[in-house]
Amino acid sequence: MSRLQGKNVFITGASSGIGESCARHFAQAGSNLILAARRKERLAGLKSELESKHAGIKIAIYELDVRQRAKVHEVTAQFEDNVDILINNAGLVIGLDKLEDITEEALDTMMDTNVKGLVHVTQAVLPGMRQRNKGHIINIGSVAGQQPYANGSIYCATKAAVASISRALMAETVNTNIRVSEINPGLVETEFSVVRFRGDKDKADNVYKGLTPLNGDDIAEMIVFIASRPDHVNIAEMLVFPTHQA
Ligand code: NDP
């Protein structure tokens, strides 16, 4: 039997890309799903698809903007004592601009989603994990957090923050049975690929010239691997590149 069978897995940003792939792979492993994102209609479609494929698993969906701390606590109050695995996946990039051109709105949105949002959700779920002395928090960072690039200063900084938070939290939970892991993907083709160029598909495609990007399933498979190690094994950090990216 899979170690993930019957586990309650809370995935933020489950309405597309890596989060959606995670939902599919954890459902396949027999986990119950708690799926959150702002686009609830997408989550509803995913829920009915997965329920028809996997009898016996429970799926709950919540409309949630991780930037809104009070709302995060209100929503998670319905299940926070029950989360075995939290996948902090919600994240975005607003365009790719030179530092001097980054608007206050873009700065706030990236910081509030990628850093503060991850903290809000973790703060809501961690006390329950501490009480039960078990749980696994898996944060989605990025290669961008380790290899900052031109026109990506703020996004890269948010992902460097995710790395710092993950390692600090690992130290804060060291005497417990709570695991903290971070996975850092390289180029993954998702909606994010086009959003970061404000919808310019040609620019988005140009990034993948000469390489085959990863897809959501490639990362979801790694996340399932991280989550399904025996309890005494914690993969603190995993870097996953497409073969032709360095
Ligand atoms: P997608 O754009 O496909 O998915 C992003 C998800 O985040 C969506 O489900 C979106 O849902 C959700 N989200 C965004 N803002 C919020 C918010 N305020 N509150 C709740 N949910 C939110 O992109 P990816 O799957 O590629 O991205 C997933 C994660 O992977 C991100 O953290 C990203 O930084 C990271 N990553 C991506 C890489 C790539 O190359 N694609 C590489 C490395 C890391 P909704 O809009 O419905 O709220």
Side-chain angles (χ1 to χ4, degrees), residues 217-237:
D217 290 335
D218 295 323
I219 300 304
E221 280 172 16
M222 293 301 115
I223 294 172
V224 161
F225 178 79
I226 290 169
S228 59
R229 292 311 84 212
D231 288 345
H232 69 287
V233 179
N234 182 36
I235 297 178
E237 188 186 341

Side-chain angles (χ1 to χ4, degrees), residues 17-19 22 87-89 138-147 149 155-156 159-160 162-163 181-190 192 196 208 213-223 226 237-243 245-246:
I18 295 169
C22 283
I87 302 175
N88 271 318
N89 166 74
I138 302 175
N139 293 330
I140 314 301
S142 171
V143 165
Q146 305 182 359
Q147 299 179 355
Y149 47 81
Y155 177 69
C156 295
K159 291 301 182 178
V162 171
S181 305
E182 189 201 17
I183 179 163
N184 294 313
L187 292 165
V188 188
E189 191 165 23
T190 62
F192 174 103
R196 71 181 150 198
Y208 301 139
L214 302 169
N215 57 49
D217 290 335
D218 295 323
I219 300 304
E221 280 172 16
M222 293 301 115
I223 294 172
I226 290 169
E237 188 186 341
M238 184 187 270
L239 261 173
V240 188
F241 284 92
T243 301
Q245 184 190 355

Side-chain angles (χ1 to χ4, degrees), residues 159-169 182:
K159 291 301 182 178
V162 171
S164 295
I165 291 165
S166 303
R167 280 304 177 92
L169 190 57
E182 189 201 17

Side-chain angles (χ1 to χ4, degrees), residues 6-76:
K7 297 275 189 204
N8 299 318
V9 183
F10 175 22
I11 306 169
T12 67
S15 58
S16 61
I18 295 169
E20 181 182 336
S21 293
C22 283
R24 293 181 198 286
H25 284 258
F26 278 92
Q28 180 71 36
S31 302
N32 299 315
L33 304 176
I34 303 158
L35 307 177
R38 293 167 302 176
R39 289 171 296 177
K40 197 175 177 190
E41 67 292 348
R42 290 269 200 120
L43 298 178
L46 184 59
K47 174 179 154 80
S48 53
E49 180 202 316
L50 293 178
E51 279 175 345
S52 68
K53 271 196 201 149
H54 307 283
I57 67 166
K58 292 186 214 118
I59 305 178
I61 58 171
Y62 296 94
E63 183 177 338
L64 182 65
D65 185 332
V66 296
R67 293 172 295 180
Q68 298 169 357
R69 188 173 193 277
K71 182 77 177 165
V72 168
H73 283 265
E74 186 190 310
V75 165
T76 56

